[in-house]
Amino acid sequence: AAGVIQSPRHLIKEKRETATLKCYPIPRHDTVYWYQQGPGQDPQFLISFYEKMQSDKGSIPDRFSAQQFSDYHSELNMSSLELGDSALYFCASSLAGGLSAFFGQGTRLTVV
Amino acid sequence: GIQVEQSPPDLILQEGANSTLRCNFSDSVNNLQWFHQNPWGQLINLFYIPSGTKQNGRLSATTVATERYSLLYISSSQTTDSGVYFCAVDRGQGAQKLVFGQGTRLTINP
């Protein structure tokens, strides 16, 4: 069965650079979520989209922005990267009102 | 916001042992999921279980919604069961913004 696809899997950036993470949800899923997991931490909700509109917002820094496109894929844009942004970034998808969120394999971002 | 507490934080067992992981939550929930994060970081869905009991092979889970806790049982542990087990909840309808517990790190030694 198709799963949530994230790219790239690994990314190394320098401080103050920008990064773009991509997420392709499970086919027919209309809702995507972004989570950030710092080293040794639990995943923290960043932002979600339903039918290309932002549906909820968590602890997402102002330096980050995201959107969902007409084909339902989503991109997380991160600017002015800081060392503390180094983390595993997960995308998840679900059907609106669906029972479970399914997570991608994550993008490991390292800021040096 | 809702609080999620998992116990124990760490668990070390020998292969073949059974284990019980607990998740307490501070408010009523409409969604509760258990995940296994393997050593490569992948988050794998185990159960969607806002109430009741489910079983999948050597794993089973029970949620007592009225008492605000859930239990994950692992029987006949294998080394591949090692990793971090997360409980995550949401108060909304369906999978909204999940709030995760801090996880239980399980190590199964051969």
Side-chain angles (χ1 to χ4, degrees), chain A residues 9 31 33 35 37 40-45 56-57 88 90 94 97-105 108, chain B residues 31 33 35 37 39-45 47-48 86 93-103 105:
Chain A
R9 293 290 308 281
T31 306
Y33 316 81
Y35 289 81
Q37 185 180 24
Q41 304 296 313
D42 56 283
Q44 296 289 317
F45 172 76
D56 210 339
K57 198 172 182 180
L88 193 53
F90 286 104
S94 73
L99 300 181
S100 298
F102 293 87
F103 283 71
Q105 292 186 300
R108 189 172 296 280
Chain B
N31 182 6
Q33 294 183 238
F35 296 90
Q37 187 165 39
W40 296 270
Q42 188 177 1
L43 273 173
I44 300 165
N45 286 51
F47 294 102
Y48 165 81
F86 286 106
Q93 293 299 321
Q96 304 293 325
K97 51 178 181 180
L98 291 171
V99 176
F100 283 74
Q102 295 278 40
R105 181 173 297 278

Side-chain angles (χ1 to χ4, degrees), chain B residues 3-4 12 15 28 37 54 58 74 80 82 94 107:
Chain B
Q3 305 294 315
V4 183
I12 301 174
E15 202 167 21
S28 58
Q37 187 165 39
K54 289 187 178 179
R58 296 181 296 104
I74 305 174
T80 51
S82 295
T107 303

Side-chain angles (χ1 to χ4, degrees), chain A residues 32-109:
Chain A
V32 294
Y33 316 81
W34 287 96
Y35 289 81
Q36 178 192 58
Q37 185 180 24
Q41 304 296 313
D42 56 283
Q44 296 289 317
F45 172 76
L46 292 178
I47 196 167
S48 63
F49 292 87
Y50 165 65
E51 284 291 343
K52 292 148 280 184
M53 299 288 289
Q54 180 181 310
S55 54
D56 210 339
K57 198 172 182 180
S59 50
I60 183 169
D62 292 341
R63 299 177 290 107
F64 294 6
S65 64
Q67 57 182 322
Q68 185 180 28
F69 295 86
S70 58
D71 63 351
Y72 295 101
H73 94 272
S74 179
E75 295 184 3
L76 178 66
N77 299 293
M78 310 159 70
S79 63
S80 303
L81 286 169
E82 302 174 356
L83 296 178
D85 296 329
S86 295
L88 193 53
Y89 289 84
F90 286 104
C91 173
S93 76
S94 73
L95 282 168
L99 300 181
S100 298
F102 293 87
F103 283 71
Q105 292 186 300
T107 293
R108 189 172 296 280
L109 172 67

Side-chain angles (χ1 to χ4, degrees), chain B:
Chain B
I2 194 167
Q3 305 294 315
V4 183
E5 293 185 0
Q6 291 186 242
S7 60
D10 293 278
L11 189 56
I12 301 174
L13 299 171
Q14 292 298 121
E15 202 167 21
N18 301 328
S19 57
T20 300
L21 283 57
R22 187 177 179 103
C23 171
N24 292 331
F25 42 97
S26 61
D27 209 336
S28 58
V29 298
N30 283 318
N31 182 6
L32 188 148
Q33 294 183 238
W34 282 97
F35 296 90
H36 174 214
Q37 187 165 39
N38 63 24
W40 296 270
Q42 188 177 1
L43 273 173
I44 300 165
N45 286 51
L46 297 178
F47 294 102
Y48 165 81
I49 187 165
S51 64
T53 297
K54 289 187 178 179
Q55 180 160 6
N56 184 6
R58 296 181 296 104
L59 274 60
S60 64
T62 295
T63 297
V64 183
T66 52
E67 297 187 22
R68 299 180 185 167
Y69 74 88
S70 183
L71 301 173
L72 178 69
Y73 305 96
I74 305 174
S75 64
S76 305
S77 299
Q78 301 175 359
T79 56
T80 51
D81 294 331
S82 295
V84 181
Y85 288 81
F86 286 106
C87 166
V89 304
D90 176 58
R91 299 193 62 197
Q93 293 299 321
Q96 304 293 325
K97 51 178 181 180
L98 291 171
V99 176
F100 283 74
Q102 295 278 40
T104 292
R105 181 173 297 278
L106 177 65
T107 303
I108 304 297
N109 291 321

